[in-house]
Amino acid sequence: MMKEDFKALEMRGDELVLLDQRLLPTVVEDFVCHTVEDVYFAIRDMVVRGAPAIGGAAGYGVLFAAREAKGDIEAFRRSCEHLIAARPTAVNLSWAVRRVAKVAEESGLDEERIRAEADAIVAEDIAMNHRIGEIGSSLIRPGATILTHCNTGALATCGWGTALGVIKTAWSKGLVKHVYADETRPRFQGARLTAWELVRAGIPATLIPDSAAATLIRDGRIDCVILGADRITANGDVANKLGTFALSCICKLYGVPFYSAAPTSTIDFDMASGDMIEIEERPQDEVTHVNGSQVAASGIGVYNPAFDVTPHSNVTGIITEEGIIREPYDVNIAALRRRLGR
């Protein structure tokens, strides 16, 4: 099994150290958090991104919140709600904050207990990702060419990755021939981050403009699409990086398997369908500018949703650490919830 030589996040002493993903791939530099506001900024400005990594960072944000509250429970709660507001679509953020905050309040804001719970989230995520990789690799036929979107590797998680973790596990087993990575406009997570991870891992890969994916799928050059999720609802609808829905439609049209890989913490069991998901809208300059250079006419209107929702009818399967969920999604996700006791 290949090893990684980087971490998206790590608690070192009293500091949360994040690999600053805004600067990759040309600059590898850390962003150090000391306060709740530092963590809020890092999540909001996408220093750290990817639902599981956001959850991991947020757990340590709760530790900072407890430290800064100095025993004031109401101040602590306000800081936790502030953290949750950083990026509303990714369910792992609210899940992690509430999980660690519960321990914090039960322990009287005991920092040792809080840190242990935040550490547990990170360790669990890494273990889940390896499990997702093993389960997902069972879907890959030898010599497969896989297309992926956005970034779902070790940079997007606490380690190894979800969809990219499946690809890396399958590659280590000799099953993968080639990977195509969408550039993922407008922030280029595929070009900047997934390509960086694939090159470091030594996996043969090609970067493509997002709009080239449809041609590759139509021409039979893609065996399956595997990507992640920021929120999965109780009926199997998947919120993921903008462009996911369009990919799912092309895959359905041409009969190409379309998989979402995510830990069960990404499933919002209390949300009935994707119609209820709040979709984050990002700043206009992410579209009108590239690396600070203006590429669009001044005065043009901009619509910049960070995510879209793929209906469960377009999803071949959801790969989790508990197994592969398939249709009927509402029935099988409800059964999973009962089994997990959530």
Side-chain angles (χ1 to χ4, degrees):
M1 184 67 70
M2 67 182 70
K3 294 184 178 180
E4 293 161 349
D5 58 357
F6 64 91
K7 293 182 179 180
L9 66 140
E10 184 178 22
M11 196 71 182
R12 299 178 193 164
D14 290 332
E15 301 176 336
L16 174 60
V17 181
L18 306 172
L19 181 57
D20 194 336
Q21 298 185 37
R22 301 170 302 175
L23 306 179
L24 291 173
T26 55
V27 177
V28 180
E29 187 174 290
D30 291 332
F31 180 95
V32 181
C33 299
H34 301 94
T35 67
V36 173
E37 198 57 40
D38 288 342
V39 179
Y40 175 90
F41 174 83
I43 293 171
R44 182 66 189 167
D45 210 54
M46 297 176 72
V47 173
V48 61
R49 26 103 5 240
I54 288 172
Y60 294 116
V62 175
L63 173 63
F64 295 147
R67 187 174 296 161
E68 293 167 22
K70 301 184 185 301
D72 185 336
I73 291 294
E74 290 306 316
F76 169 73
R77 289 172 178 168
R78 286 194 297 271
S79 290
C80 289
E81 291 304 314
H82 180 57
L83 268 179
I84 290 171
R87 297 198 70 191
T89 303
V91 72
N92 296 64
L93 172 55
S94 57
W95 169 82
V97 169
R98 292 188 171 120
R99 171 176 163 175
V100 180
K102 183 174 184 290
V103 171
E105 293 202 25
E106 289 174 348
S107 67
L109 303 188
D110 181 270
E111 291 187 23
E112 186 174 344
R113 291 273 304 279
I114 298 168
R115 179 162 180 167
E117 192 68 16
D119 287 343
I121 286 177
V122 171
E124 289 167 13
D125 184 62
I126 295 170
M128 283 192 293
N129 290 341
H130 280 287
R131 177 68 177 153
I132 289 168
E134 285 295 326
I135 291 170
S137 67
S138 68
L139 298 168
I140 309 303
R141 294 176 297 178
T145 296
I146 301 171
L147 187 145
T148 192
H149 185 68
C150 198
N151 174 257
T152 56
L155 290 171
T157 63
C158 299
W160 193 245
T162 53
L164 197 54
V166 171
I167 292 169
K168 289 191 290 186
T169 301
W171 162 255
S172 70
K173 294 180 177 182
L175 300 173
V176 176
K177 177 182 178 181
H178 201 83
V179 176
Y180 283 94
D182 283 348
E183 61 179 350
T184 320
R185 281 281 291 152
R187 289 187 64 102
F188 298 103
Q189 292 98 324
R192 295 189 302 105
L193 308 177
T194 297
W196 186 77
E197 288 202 51
L198 288 166
V199 169
R200 282 178 98 91
I203 299 174
T206 299
L207 179 68
I208 59 171
D210 294 349
S211 49
T215 301
L216 290 172
I217 292 168
R218 181 201 63 190
D219 292 350
R221 296 172 62 182
I222 302 298
D223 294 301
C224 66
V225 171
I226 308 176
L227 33 66
D230 285 84
R231 187 185 296 254
I232 298 169
T233 57
N235 70 339
D237 292 347
V238 175
N240 193 53
K241 183 55 58 185
L242 184 69
T244 299
F245 172 50
L247 274 176
S248 77
C249 292
I250 298 297
C251 284
K252 188 172 184 178
L253 179 64
Y254 289 101
V256 173
F258 180 93
Y259 298 105
S260 173
T264 54
S265 59
T266 301
I267 302 175
D268 190 338
F269 294 103
D270 294 319
M271 186 170 283
S273 74
D275 295 337
M276 303 169 67
I277 296 175
E278 178 184 357
I279 298 297
E280 172 191 354
E281 287 195 39
R282 306 271 318 157
Q284 294 185 8
D285 62 7
E286 290 184 351
V287 177
T288 60
H289 292 68
V290 176
N291 291 331
S293 297
Q294 185 170 335
V295 296
S298 298
I300 186 69
V302 173
Y303 175 52
N304 184 23
F307 307 95
D308 56 27
V309 177
T310 296
H312 61 273
S313 57
N314 286 9
V315 180
T316 307
I318 299 169
I319 307 165
T320 78
E321 78 280 7
E322 294 291 331
I324 301 166
I325 308 172
R326 299 185 186 272
E327 289 276 20
Y329 287 107
D330 55 350
V331 173
N332 291 328
I333 289 175
L336 173 64
R337 183 178 195 176
R338 290 192 296 272
R339 190 165 76 247
L340 296 176
R342 296 182 188 172

